[in-house]
Amino acid sequence: MESVAERAGVSRATAARILGGYSGSRSKARARVLQAAEELGYKPNKLAKSLASRRSFKIGVILPDIENAYFARLYRGVERVCHNAGYTVTLGISGENAEQELLLLQDMLSEQVEGIVVAPSDGLKGLTESTVPVVSVDRMPANEMAGDGWVTTDNYDSAYRATAALIDAGYRRLSLLLNLPHISTTHERIAGASEAAAERGLLIDRHVMASHLLDDIVPAIADYLSEAKPDAVIAGDAVICTAVVIAARKLGIHLGDEMGLVTYDDEPWMSLLEPAISTIEQPVYEIGETAASLLMSRINGSLEGERHIRLSSLLKLRGSVRALKP
């Protein structure tokens, strides 16, 4: 600390206030201190800072499944913003289990985290009150006004656009394959896809599965494709898409010509298949960053800015959606 203050030409007390984030010092002094700290490789003593301020500088993050690439990227977005703000992150995995999620929430609060980012499995119904800010991510809480805000994508719009693209390409027997029937994401996608189909004089079949695990989904989707025989499918995530590809190959269904396919989430392998899979690319990393930034603003006492944020997704049409001959 003394070497930083000396190089910046300020008192030790001024340097301590600036590095601790408590300073109202002039911007020039602040810039000199931060530059000196960077040049000297100064790292604040988080324990000392925590004891002095009676703050933990910890953030809790609760996600359903970190093995899912979507949530892994979302977590990295949250972690980057928190790390840059001087916080450490504690991660908990709910497994889409409401009881486990509530236990994690309670444990994190007992560990005195300063805020929580959560992808709620039960819409935060079990959280009657919280002493710290809570921001929902990926899906909304059951009560949209619960917690301190939420960040998700415009699921209605993306499902609408994907359905319209399939119908415009000539597909007529459409199916929407989803899981987790209780979350807001599922409801919004059903509404968007149904509206697009209805406007074009068609119906879209909805098949909602209770499990989010690949081993459970593959046989269920194989049975569904054999019985319903859709000529186009919209998959709710990369796991469901994987199951569709596996089931289609087992059943000898050729994607694109015999069955169109669009999936949420754009994984690298999807563009390498033949035909390449059409995707709805969600800005996952940005979702995490935005949620963490919203949480930081609430921790710092700011009530300004939008509490409810929907980000746009990008529809990428590839070989799995082909213009069919009339």
Side-chain angles (χ1 to χ4, degrees):
M1 181 73 74
E2 290 181 1
S3 58
V4 172
E6 182 178 350
R7 175 168 292 202
V10 299
S11 68
R12 187 180 188 281
T14 297
R17 287 196 302 273
I18 291 173
L19 293 172
Y22 313 117
S23 173
S25 301
R26 298 187 309 275
S27 58
K28 290 183 179 180
R30 175 180 173 80
R32 291 201 308 272
V33 169
L34 294 178
Q35 181 177 351
E38 183 176 355
E39 292 172 351
L40 294 170
Y42 173 80
K43 301 293 183 184
N45 186 321
K46 288 187 176 180
L47 177 59
K49 183 178 179 182
S50 176
L51 292 172
S53 63
R54 297 184 180 180
R55 296 178 58 184
S56 68
F57 294 95
K58 294 180 182 178
I59 297 297
V61 176
I62 302 176
L63 299 175
D65 179 10
I66 202 65
E67 293 183 4
N68 185 318
Y70 173 93
F71 287 111
R73 284 198 294 272
L74 191 154
Y75 173 78
R76 288 198 294 271
V78 173
E79 198 275 338
R80 189 193 74 82
V81 171
C82 293
H83 175 78
N84 289 346
Y87 288 80
T88 57
V89 178
T90 299
L91 175 64
I93 304 301
S94 69
E96 296 288 4
N97 182 291
E99 293 183 1
Q100 176 66 10
E101 180 180 285
L102 183 57
L103 288 174
L104 288 169
L105 284 165
Q106 293 170 341
D107 286 346
M108 288 179 177
L109 290 173
S110 69
E111 292 175 8
Q112 298 182 320
V113 297
E114 295 192 32
I116 297 173
V117 173
V118 56
S121 61
D122 74 339
L124 291 184
K125 295 174 185 176
L127 187 66
T128 55
E129 63 178 274
S130 173
T131 55
V132 302
V134 177
V135 172
S136 296
V137 69
D138 179 63
R139 68 281 298 259
M140 297 183 296
N143 177 352
E144 289 189 23
M145 301 308 294
D148 294 85
W150 45 260
V151 181
T152 182
T153 58
D154 192 337
N155 288 287
Y156 178 98
D157 176 71
S158 57
Y160 181 101
R161 288 187 288 115
T163 302
L166 286 166
I167 295 173
D168 291 346
Y171 298 98
R172 293 294 178 266
R173 300 187 311 278
L174 278 64
S175 292
L176 184 62
L177 303 183
L178 302 167
N179 53 20
L180 307 176
H182 55 285
I183 65 174
S184 65
T185 301
T186 299
H187 302 158
E188 292 173 352
R189 292 176 182 177
I190 289 174
S194 299
E195 181 69 15
E199 288 179 357
R200 290 158 177 80
L202 297 173
L203 296 174
I204 185 166
D205 190 35
R206 307 185 303 256
H207 186 60
V208 183
M209 297 161 285
S211 177
H212 64 286
L213 302 176
L214 182 63
D215 290 344
D216 297 332
I217 292 174
V218 170
I221 287 180
D223 290 342
Y224 175 79
L225 294 180
S226 296
E227 296 172 6
K229 294 181 170 52
D231 67 0
V233 165
I234 299 175
D237 61 26
V239 177
I240 296 176
C241 176
T242 302
V244 170
V245 172
I246 293 172
R249 288 187 173 180
K250 286 183 177 180
L251 297 171
I253 299 172
H254 297 285
L255 295 179
D257 296 324
E258 297 179 344
M259 187 178 76
L261 173 61
V262 178
T263 184
Y264 277 86
D265 305 332
D266 188 24
E267 298 299 326
W269 61 267
M270 294 175 181
S271 64
L272 302 177
L273 293 184
E274 180 54 45
I277 306 299
S278 300
T279 63
I280 300 168
E281 182 181 28
Q282 301 185 95
V284 187
Y285 193 84
E286 185 182 353
I287 294 171
E289 288 185 312
T290 304
S293 296
L294 176 58
L295 185 67
M296 290 295 114
S297 69
R298 295 298 181 259
I299 290 173
N300 293 326
S302 173
L303 299 178
E304 299 179 356
E306 182 58 59
R307 291 180 62 237
H308 302 147
I309 301 171
R310 293 184 187 274
L311 303 177
S312 297
S313 301
L314 178 63
L315 177 61
K316 294 182 175 181
L317 294 179
R318 298 179 177 131
S320 67
V321 175
R322 295 177 179 170
L324 301 182
K325 295 181 181 179

